[in-house]
Amino acid sequence: MTDITTEKARIGAPSAQPFINGFTEEGESLSPLNAAESKSPLAGEAVKRHSHGGGVGVPDSSRAGRLTSYKLADFKPLTGMEEDWRFTPLKRLRGLHTEVLNGAAPSVSVTAPDNVIVETVGRDDRRIGSAAIPEDRVSANAWENFTEATVITVPAEVQADGEVSVLLTGQGTAASAQHVVIVAEKFSKSVVVLDHQGTAVVSENIEILVEDGAQLTVISLQEWNDDAVHASSQQAKLGRDAKFKHIVVSLGGDLVRVTPSARFTAPGAEAELFGLYFADAGQHLEQRLFVDHAVANCKSNVLYKGALQGRNAHTVWVGDVLIRKEAEGTDTYEANRNLVLTDGARADSVPNLEIETGLIAGAGHASATGRFDDQHLFYLMARGIPEEVARRLVVRGFLNEIIQKIKVPAIEERLTAAVERELAATNH
Amino acid sequence: MSTLEIKDLHVSIDTEQGTKEILKGVSLTIRTGETHAIMGPNGSGKSTLASTIAGHPRYNVTSGTITLDGEDVLAMSVDERARAGMFLAMQYPVEVPGVSMTNFLRTAKTAIDGEAPKLRTWTKDVKAAMAQLRIDADFTQRNVNEGFSGGEKKRVEILQLELFKPKFAILDETDSGLDVDALKVVSEGVNRAHAEGNMGTLLITHYTRILRYIKPDFVHVFVDGQVVEEGGPELADRLEEEGYDRYATGAGAATIAAADAAAQA
């Protein structure tokens, strides 16, 4: 009843024993397939010609070495052996990685304050590609197939009064592509909520541009129906002194895979990446994030918390934080916590920290996956609270830490109610 | 008028080296209105007694009984014990992330009383009790014990004592780690709860300092899992002057050996 695995490391701490095969303190080891093929024409150095990442000479094991391209053809068909797909059940992707994504995309309905500009644009709009470039085949497939994009612009120095609410409603199970661009112009301040509902099989690219001095919060809610399949690449590019808060909440859907990233392009910026997920029997909820400290004096803080219940509930959290040689003065911390409520559930958690300079303010990572903390239970029960109620209080409390960070009362209430529903479904 | 009766209690814990007996036959009777101080050196089993009464799963009762007005306490779950009127002010209160104090206090009060407290009077009661214990009003919005200092945690334990109005309060080294001001505040809280006349108190402490503020009716000295001496408040004064050393001679051979070793050192 105590923690199953606990790992905590700070720079300079003695190296821990490897907990999981294939992992070292340096991070994930390459899958044998990638390693074997790294000299073939379609992988390794040849592939990196397309890359806007590390380029030639950066080892494949580095996050900087990952292939990025707008062209689907540059990505090999998936086998499931790829490092970034090895936890994902490809059979359940329902064609997002193999088919032409020409199904009806989820409908987009935006409610925004008057001073926010909402447009629907074609593929040739200049803002397409301003903040993101696909990092995997599913994302590239969506990029190649989307027909129109929604662009939300918070003009310079505008303080949006109330949140921008983007309701994305699934239109069925035909594999589809979606594209949204969010531009927070200089010194603007805003909150954008991406609210995913209904049934969809969709690969989505969300581009987020946070210009100099802008403050932007993006909340992505996945409250899909049980049969939805959703892959979402949410890439943010941060300007000087920008403040970006990103919150992922995944509750519904058969398979949800969110890959958020924050790239620092100028000093002084801050990124906070939070996440909450609650997987029920059979659900696969995956989150892989990337924080790219490419410049000096930026700050990042990552916290994802998940609860799992029921047979074959599966969650995956992979947190890649890269501190490049140039990124002196970086301050970063990432943590993932999972609470396993029943037998038969599985939580994978992989914090990766790559550090290429020692001249930083701080860097750390932590991951813990466990059952209920007996001490919490005892304390609450010693105050007369029955075990059942105490358990709920603890889970609610555990997840509340993320909900409290949202700061949009209506959404906080809605999520609290949603967590309540998830808890009610538990039969302890 | 209630009675908490502990009879010939033996308690052990499982350690890596095997089972270890900590309480070796403890008997104690506490009635409403009485304050009993349990004093003793570190490792004598004082805190084990407190945790066992509360029902902490780490402690195994191997023999003996605990009854509350004749009801078998040992047969009750942890929460049932609390609802039956027992309250343990913990030595190391646990931080419960994400659960706000407001929510926690109301949930516990509802569980103990069997009905939700009336919102208006309850909020007022909480505020008043907090003010008396000099706890900042914003603590209600904070998570249970999270980021509280040692002294703040102890004051919050006493806040609960005052709000939940138990029949028996067990204070497990509530005084440890408190400065004099905090000690006074905490003691006043205990005395207020006691003055209502419906509570018996078991005060577990290593030091005599808190007994200047909370006057015990009885003092029991614990050594090596047993009560080795009992008396009135004057016993506490004597302990203050002499310490626990003299009990070493009356205890087991190991203790005597240890005392001898200490004497030679």
Side-chain angles (χ1 to χ4, degrees):
Chain A
M1 292 288 281
T2 52
D3 280 356
I4 297 165
T5 61
T6 304
E7 199 225 343
K8 201 165 189 154
R10 300 287 302 189
I11 293 179
S15 58
Q17 291 287 330
F19 286 97
I20 306 168
N21 285 338
F23 290 83
T24 65
E25 62 183 303
E26 304 294 324
E28 295 172 86
S29 304
L30 270 180
S31 85
L33 188 83
N34 280 348
E37 293 189 0
S38 64
K39 287 196 177 69
S40 79
L42 283 175
E45 291 176 5
V47 161
K48 282 183 189 144
R49 277 183 215 134
H50 305 287
S51 175
H52 291 210
V56 177
V58 175
D60 281 357
S61 57
S62 168
R63 189 62 163 83
R66 186 164 298 180
L67 164 66
T68 56
S69 171
Y70 293 112
K71 290 201 181 97
L72 174 64
D74 288 338
F75 294 91
K76 285 184 292 179
L78 300 184
T79 63
M81 297 288 281
E82 297 79 6
E83 185 42 56
D84 57 333
W85 289 99
R86 63 200 185 92
F87 292 117
T88 318
L90 298 182
K91 279 181 191 158
R92 285 160 62 186
L93 272 180
R94 299 179 75 163
L96 287 182
H97 59 313
T98 52
E99 286 171 27
V100 178
L101 305 181
N102 54 8
S107 66
V108 181
S109 142
V110 184
T111 317
D114 290 342
N115 43 14
V116 172
I117 303 160
V118 181
E119 300 159 83
T120 303
V121 303
R123 294 181 55 89
D124 54 353
D125 189 273
R126 64 185 167 80
R127 289 160 298 189
I128 304 285
S130 58
I133 180 166
E135 291 185 311
D136 65 56
R137 186 178 167 86
V138 171
S139 166
N141 199 12
W143 203 288
E144 201 146 293
N145 283 294
F146 78 92
T147 50
E148 54 183 31
T150 303
V151 179
I152 294 160
T153 307
V154 187
E157 296 185 30
V158 161
Q159 307 229 343
D161 185 18
E163 65 269 14
V164 180
S165 175
V166 184
L167 181 63
L168 300 118
T169 309
Q171 302 294 308
T173 55
S176 61
Q178 187 123 50
H179 203 102
V180 177
V181 181
I182 301 167
V183 181
E185 292 188 349
K186 288 182 180 176
F187 303 106
S188 64
K189 194 174 171 188
S190 56
V191 177
V192 177
V193 182
L194 304 165
D195 195 346
H196 299 92
Q197 298 188 357
T199 291
V201 174
V202 61
S203 174
E204 177 182 60
N205 285 299
I206 310 275
E207 298 190 62
I208 303 165
L209 195 59
V210 194
E211 295 186 355
D212 295 355
Q215 293 184 33
L216 173 69
T217 298
V218 172
I219 303 162
S220 181
L221 308 176
Q222 286 69 243
E223 286 200 88
W224 297 107
N225 292 345
D226 288 346
D227 55 350
V229 176
H230 181 206
S232 183
S233 162
Q234 309 197 352
Q235 298 189 25
K237 208 164 120 182
L238 277 62
R240 177 181 288 269
D241 299 327
K243 280 205 168 93
F244 176 54
K245 181 150 90 172
H246 186 261
I247 302 170
V248 175
V249 179
S250 293
L251 300 174
D254 176 61
L255 187 158
V256 176
R257 185 181 193 269
V258 183
T259 48
S261 64
R263 290 186 164 80
F264 294 105
T265 65
E270 273 183 51
E272 294 182 295
L273 277 65
F274 301 121
L276 180 168
Y277 45 92
F278 199 134
D280 295 319
Q283 265 188 314
H284 177 93
L285 302 179
E286 180 166 347
Q287 20 271 313
R288 289 175 168 266
L289 60 94
F290 178 34
V291 180
D292 190 355
H293 281 275
V295 293
N297 299 318
C298 290
K299 259 175 98 168
S300 63
N301 181 29
V302 177
L303 178 64
Y304 272 64
K305 298 184 98 172
L308 300 87
Q309 66 186 7
R311 270 186 69 76
N312 298 320
H314 188 193
T315 66
V316 177
W317 179 86
V318 179
D320 293 338
V321 175
L322 170 62
I323 304 171
R324 297 183 195 252
K325 212 159 59 222
E326 304 78 15
E328 293 180 4
T330 290
D331 192 356
T332 177
Y333 196 80
E334 63 164 345
N336 175 226
R337 307 259 178 256
N338 296 297
L339 194 52
V340 180
L341 306 178
T342 65
D343 288 338
R346 171 181 169 145
D348 286 292
S349 177
V350 188
N352 292 317
L353 186 53
E354 278 184 80
I355 305 170
E356 294 173 350
T357 174
L359 301 171
I360 55 172
H365 60 167
S367 165
T369 296
R371 294 190 175 248
F372 281 106
D373 187 326
D374 279 354
Q375 293 302 320
H376 293 164
L377 264 189
F378 177 71
Y379 188 80
L380 297 172
M381 288 176 70
R383 300 308 182 234
I385 301 171
E387 182 171 353
E388 178 63 34
V389 180
R391 278 179 184 277
R392 281 197 193 192
L393 210 55
V394 170
V395 180
R396 209 185 280 145
F398 176 78
L399 297 176
N400 237 350
E401 195 183 346
I402 301 296
I403 295 178
Q404 285 168 351
K405 294 184 188 300
I406 292 177
K407 313 275 185 211
V408 180
I411 304 244
E412 289 188 7
E413 277 167 34
R414 191 176 122 194
L415 289 178
T416 303
V419 167
E420 252 2 89
R421 280 196 301 279
E422 297 272 355
L423 285 169
T426 325
N427 294 310
H428 289 302
Chain B
M1 184 71 163
S2 292
T3 307
L4 178 66
E5 197 167 17
I6 300 162
K7 269 192 195 157
D8 194 28
L9 191 69
H10 290 254
V11 174
S12 64
I13 56 165
D14 296 325
T15 70
E16 281 169 19
Q17 288 80 38
T19 304
K20 187 176 178 222
E21 187 169 52
I22 303 200
L23 296 189
K24 302 168 179 174
V26 172
S27 297
L28 207 59
T29 303
I30 308 161
R31 293 182 184 81
T32 301
E34 295 176 355
T35 298
H36 293 245
I38 294 196
M39 308 192 60
N42 289 329
S44 58
K46 307 185 298 284
S47 286
T48 296
L49 178 65
S51 295
T52 304
I53 297 172
H56 195 287
R58 182 162 182 242
Y59 302 95
N60 307 315
V61 176
T62 49
S63 69
T65 60
I66 303 176
T67 55
L68 175 60
D69 295 332
E71 295 280 326
D72 182 2
V73 171
L74 295 174
M76 298 179 196
S77 60
V78 174
D79 52 318
E80 284 169 348
R81 294 178 196 205
R83 293 200 295 274
M86 321 268 260
F87 180 88
L88 171 63
M90 298 195 195
Q91 188 177 0
Y92 303 108
V94 181
E95 300 191 2
V96 189
V99 181
S100 74
M101 284 297 299
T102 307
N103 188 5
F104 163 68
L105 291 174
R106 201 178 48 231
T107 306
K109 182 68 175 170
T110 304
I112 289 166
D113 289 1
E115 58 175 0
K118 290 203 174 54
L119 203 57
R120 252 189 76 199
T121 49
W122 172 244
T123 310
K124 217 176 73 191
D125 289 351
V126 173
K127 266 192 189 158
M130 285 176 68
Q132 281 180 317
L133 288 163
R134 280 166 231 159
I135 300 170
D136 281 344
D138 66 3
F139 269 57
T140 54
Q141 299 310 314
R142 291 172 64 179
N143 294 329
V144 176
N145 292 325
E146 200 175 66
F148 295 8
S149 72
E152 286 164 347
K153 284 181 182 171
K154 297 294 175 74
R155 272 184 275 172
V156 165
E157 292 291 286
I158 302 308
L159 171 69
Q160 295 171 49
L161 170 69
E162 290 202 69
L163 292 171
F164 300 159
K165 304 191 184 308
K167 289 179 185 159
F168 290 98
I170 301 137
L171 309 178
D172 187 8
E173 306 213 10
T174 298
D175 52 332
S176 64
L178 293 184
D179 61 31
V180 175
D181 291 336
L183 185 64
K184 278 185 195 165
V185 168
V186 160
S187 302
E188 283 164 15
V190 176
N191 289 335
R192 272 195 301 275
H194 201 83
E196 292 188 14
N198 300 313
M199 188 175 88
T201 306
L202 188 60
L203 179 69
I204 291 170
T205 179
H206 181 78
Y207 305 103
T208 50
R209 194 175 56 142
I210 194 172
L211 303 181
R212 287 177 215 153
Y213 306 102
I214 302 174
K215 290 291 168 204
D217 303 302
F218 305 93
V219 175
H220 313 264
V221 181
F222 246 54
V223 175
D224 193 28
Q226 284 175 309
V227 176
V228 294
E229 189 167 5
E230 291 174 297
E234 73 289 346
L235 182 53
D237 299 334
R238 205 171 142 202
L239 282 171
E240 173 141 35
E241 285 158 28
E242 299 176 10
Y244 298 113
D245 288 349
R246 70 192 172 91
Y247 296 107
T249 50
T255 323
I256 293 169
D260 287 349
Q264 282 165 14

